[in-house]
């Protein structure tokens, strides 16, 4: 199985599972990953997702064995990229938080799939490599969009063009990811974080994701209108009522994530 799914209380762990290829993505794995995300989305009990990799790597991007140029001409990279684009859009659009625990090297599309997640933790030994220029390609999976947003133009250009490994701790210092964690603590830290997210007000978190994504292109004026509308939606959820009640009663809130 190229993708493993574990059910936990309130969340699912999705593990990329081709460790002998550093979890490089082939067509089967693409399909299995999309199906796992669809199933998580359809499960009302699932309120957060943890994505990680099996073995010593997180993901080495596209399986290059599958897209080698053959005698009959180059592969159909547009079709390959449509699959990646679908994954990035799915991760960004999920109405629940997605945490990525980068357990080892994240290269090419593997790095950018991680950046498409909402909160990225990485083992201190992990590296992020925009490996594309090493093989004559451009950063895809949103890389040319995520990099300048997260680390600024100068660093984005050097990372994209030089394809040098960026160690996790520097990635955190630069704002590419949320935190670099001691290797032996990554798993426990990631599970504690996802379990905590699974108890938050899920609809509020989903609307926060939507507002932040829209802010990338909105004027302040439009963003203020959007915040008003999304806040109105959040304010009509049972979790908002519970959150305020819990505050007044000086007790922890018991959110359900339901409408
Ligand atoms: O269709 C398109 O191409 C468009 C879409 C593009 C999206 C992309 O992701 S393009 C970028 C593709 N990824 C890469 O170029 C990264 C290739 N991998 C590497 O550069 C290195 O493996 C790493 C820097 C990631 C890690 O290096 P290292 O020394 O820790 O491990 P290794 O020995 O290179 O790899 C271990 C095994 O995994 C090895 O197999 P072997 O020799 O033990 O049988 C290696 O061939 C295999 N592997 C690693 N990455 C890939 C891969 N096999 C297939 N595809 C890979 N991407």
């Amino acid at each position: 199985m190229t993708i493993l799914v574990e059910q936990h209380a309130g969340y699912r762990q999705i593990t990329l599972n081709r460790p002998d290829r550093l979890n490089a993505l082939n067509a089967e794995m693409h399909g299995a990953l999309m199906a796992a995300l669809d199933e998580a989305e359809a499960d009302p009990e699932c309120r957060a997702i943890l994505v990680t990799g099996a073995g010593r790597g997180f993901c080495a991007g596209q399986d290059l064995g599958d897209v080698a140029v053959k005698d009959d001409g180059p592969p159909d990279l547009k079709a390959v990229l449509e699959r990646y684009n679908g994954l990035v859009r799915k991760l960004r659009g999920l109405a629940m938080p997605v945490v990525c625990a980068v357990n080892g090297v994240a290269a090419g599309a593997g790095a950018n799939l991680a950046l498409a997640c909402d909160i990225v933790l990485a083992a201190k030994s992990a590296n992020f490599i925009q490996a594309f220029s090493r093989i004559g390609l451009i950063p895809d999976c949103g890389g040319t969009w995520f990099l300048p947003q997260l680390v600024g133009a100068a660093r984005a250009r050097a990372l994209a063009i030089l394809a040098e490994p960026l160690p996790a701790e520097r990635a955190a210092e630069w704002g590419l990811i949320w935190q670099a964690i001691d290797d032996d603590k990554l798993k426990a830290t990631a599970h504690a974080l996802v379990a905590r997210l699974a108890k938050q007000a899920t609809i509020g978190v989903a609307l926060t994701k939507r507002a932040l994504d829209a802010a990338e292109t909105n004027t302040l004026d439009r963003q203020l209108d959007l915040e008003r509308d999304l806040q109105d939606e959040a304010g009509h959820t049972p979790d908002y009522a519970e959150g305020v009640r819990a505050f007044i009663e000086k007790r922890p809130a018991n959110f359900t994530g339901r409408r």
Side-chain angles (χ1 to χ4, degrees), residues 20-22 24 56 60-65 67 77 80-81 84 105 107-109 129 131-132 134-135 137 140:
D20 55 325
R21 303 281 96 187
L22 298 179
R56 73 175 175 90
Q62 170 62 34
D63 187 314
L64 295 175
V67 291
L77 293 190
V80 176
L81 259 296
Y84 281 106
V105 66
I129 312 175
F132 308 88
R134 294 182 183 178
I135 55 170
L137 293 181
D140 57 27

Side-chain angles (χ1 to χ4, degrees), residues 5-8 10-14 36 39-40 43 46 48-50:
V5 178
E6 277 174 35
Q7 308 246 18
H8 294 267
Y11 68 95
R12 290 182 181 206
Q13 176 178 326
I14 297 178
E39 282 161 24
D43 175 2
C46 181
I49 294 175
L50 171 61

Side-chain angles (χ1 to χ4, degrees), residues 40-111:
E41 187 176 33
D43 175 2
E45 301 303 317
C46 181
R47 294 166 60 188
I49 294 175
L50 171 61
V51 178
T52 192
R56 73 175 175 90
F58 170 67
C59 176
Q62 170 62 34
D63 187 314
L64 295 175
D66 272 15
V67 291
V69 177
K70 307 256 167 57
D71 290 344
D72 57 351
D76 183 358
L77 293 190
K78 277 197 179 174
V80 176
L81 259 296
E82 278 308 325
R83 291 203 296 261
Y84 281 106
N85 290 352
L87 282 175
V88 172
R89 289 189 177 109
K90 170 63 81 176
L91 287 165
R92 297 298 280 197
L94 279 169
M96 67 182 84
V98 183
V99 171
C100 186
V102 178
N103 51 298
V105 66

Side-chain angles (χ1 to χ4, degrees), residues 227-241:
E227 287 176 0
R228 175 202 60 210
D229 295 345
L230 296 182
Q231 199 69 294
D232 184 54
E233 201 176 329
H236 281 82
T237 60
D239 281 346
Y240 171 65

Side-chain angles (χ1 to χ4, degrees), residues 58-237:
F58 170 67
C59 176
Q62 170 62 34
D63 187 314
L64 295 175
D66 272 15
V67 291
V69 177
K70 307 256 167 57
D71 290 344
D72 57 351
D76 183 358
L77 293 190
K78 277 197 179 174
V80 176
L81 259 296
E82 278 308 325
R83 291 203 296 261
Y84 281 106
N85 290 352
L87 282 175
V88 172
R89 289 189 177 109
K90 170 63 81 176
L91 287 165
R92 297 298 280 197
L94 279 169
M96 67 182 84
V98 183
V99 171
C100 186
V102 178
N103 51 298
V105 66
N112 295 336
L113 284 177
L115 299 184
C117 298
D118 297 306
I119 300 180
V120 185
L121 308 176
K124 285 186 181 169
S125 66
N127 281 294
F128 292 82
I129 312 175
Q130 295 294 322
F132 308 88
S133 69
R134 294 182 183 178
I135 55 170
L137 293 181
I138 69 159
D140 57 27
C141 280
T144 56
W145 192 87
F146 292 127
L147 289 173
Q149 294 272 353
L150 294 169
V151 300
R155 286 169 170 164
R157 279 177 190 251
L159 288 171
I161 293 169
L162 299 175
E164 287 179 6
L166 183 70
E169 282 179 278
R170 185 164 304 161
E173 280 163 27
W174 285 7
L176 188 76
I177 64 168
W178 173 235
Q179 274 176 352
I181 309 276
D182 288 334
D183 287 31
D184 60 346
K185 298 197 174 68
L186 178 69
K187 193 173 170 191
T189 306
H191 278 277
L193 177 61
V194 189
R196 171 180 147 195
L197 288 166
K199 291 185 179 153
Q200 282 193 208
T202 313
I203 295 168
V205 174
L207 296 174
T208 301
K209 285 177 65 160
R210 213 196 298 169
L212 289 170
D213 279 348
E216 311 292 359
T217 49
N218 267 350
T219 59
L220 173 61
D221 204 41
R222 276 203 204 133
Q223 192 67 10
L224 288 170
D225 287 345
L226 179 69
E227 287 176 0
R228 175 202 60 210
D229 295 345
L230 296 182
Q231 199 69 294
D232 184 54
E233 201 176 329
H236 281 82
T237 60

